[in-house]
Amino acid sequence: MSDNQYSLKVYISDESLTALKEYGYRLCIAKEVNGKYNVVFQGVNKLLFQNTFRFEDRYRVFGTNSFSDGALVEASTKKNPILGGQEITLSSAGVFGPASGPVNPAAGFTVHNQYTDPIHFGVDALIGSEYSSIYVAEKPVLSGDVFLTPKKKLLVWFEQNLETDMMISRAITNSIRVSSYLSLLWDFNRLTENASPLYLQLDFTTTSDITINYTAPKDAPAKGVWSYGPLVVLGQTYHPETNTFSLTPAILPTAEELVQLTKLLQLEPPSQSGGRLAITNGDAQGKN
């Protein structure tokens, strides 16, 4: 995978997946531009157990007449391809020229704005094989240079009534960074008491692949646990003679029970040394 390509894999537990769809939640992804996350890059309701998103730092720049919270982005100019490090000019007639200059994927790009009426500049980014909007300037600008700096940083969360290309003006305050491989809700009270969505911050600056998973109580699908890595299979036993795994579903905790168990035990986050929490059924203890 090249330096400007990266992928996100999201696992969702079966109980959580059922509840999220029942309550009409979408998996929302936003991408940072100029220090803000103000457009829903992806709002996905067709979710499965495993969901993969592939991003590439290829952009399009455009102008629009308005920024409106809750509205879908609607370009007023043509959308023009541009890469990091390049520059482009919007003429006094409102027409973009071609992008030019050396490419630097780690840098932003510059719009030389010669248009004299107020205009909001926006940015699209490539996901999979299609472009979606990632940013619209909330305030219009007049003629002059405009600098747009997308970052390899994403917000991920679940919310109702949002969809791809929708503008949002809220301040992002309820956010966390999952810094350990397994983060079993040691801040459960904070999640359940705060009514706003919990935003998970992901940084692809030094990596090209991130895998996360999500588990939530069935009656509160948006108040769940974000963890790094694929979903852990609990009570799983390895049989070397047959090279197979087995588990007993009847005795395994449900997603809701796991969350409640974590709350009752007041689990601390794993140490930075990389230790993991192992949960097995009673029959598997002491067996090789």
Side-chain angles (χ1 to χ4, degrees), residues 65-82:
N65 287 325
S66 65
F67 178 97
S68 180
D69 185 34
L72 297 178
V73 176
E74 184 176 355
S76 302
T77 69
K78 286 186 177 180
K79 296 185 172 185
N80 291 262
I82 193 167

Side-chain angles (χ1 to χ4, degrees), residues 141-162:
V141 296
L142 300 175
S143 57
D145 288 350
V146 175
F147 303 97
L148 298 165
T149 309
K151 297 291 187 180
K152 290 185 176 182
K153 296 181 179 181
L154 302 178
L155 280 186
V156 182
W157 75 101
F158 286 102
E159 190 167 347
Q160 300 160 310
N161 305 317
L162 293 182

Side-chain angles (χ1 to χ4, degrees), residues 11 65 93 109:
Y11 289 88
N65 287 325
F109 48 86

Side-chain angles (χ1 to χ4, degrees), residues 1-11 27 29 31 41-42 44 50-59 124-132 134 152 154 156 202 204 207-211:
M1 187 174 293
S2 67
D3 291 341
N4 67 335
Q5 296 177 329
Y6 42 103
S7 67
L8 170 65
K9 188 173 291 184
V10 182
Y11 289 88
L27 177 66
I29 301 173
K31 182 176 172 68
F41 188 17
Q42 291 286 285
V44 185
Q50 176 182 309
N51 309 273
T52 302
F53 304 91
R54 293 182 172 85
F55 310 95
E56 186 172 352
D57 287 336
R58 304 183 68 87
Y59 303 106
D124 289 348
L126 190 64
I127 177 167
S129 59
E130 299 182 351
Y131 283 90
S132 292
I134 58 172
K152 290 185 176 182
L154 302 178
V156 182
L202 300 174
F204 287 85
T207 184
S208 60
D209 296 277
I210 293 179
T211 297

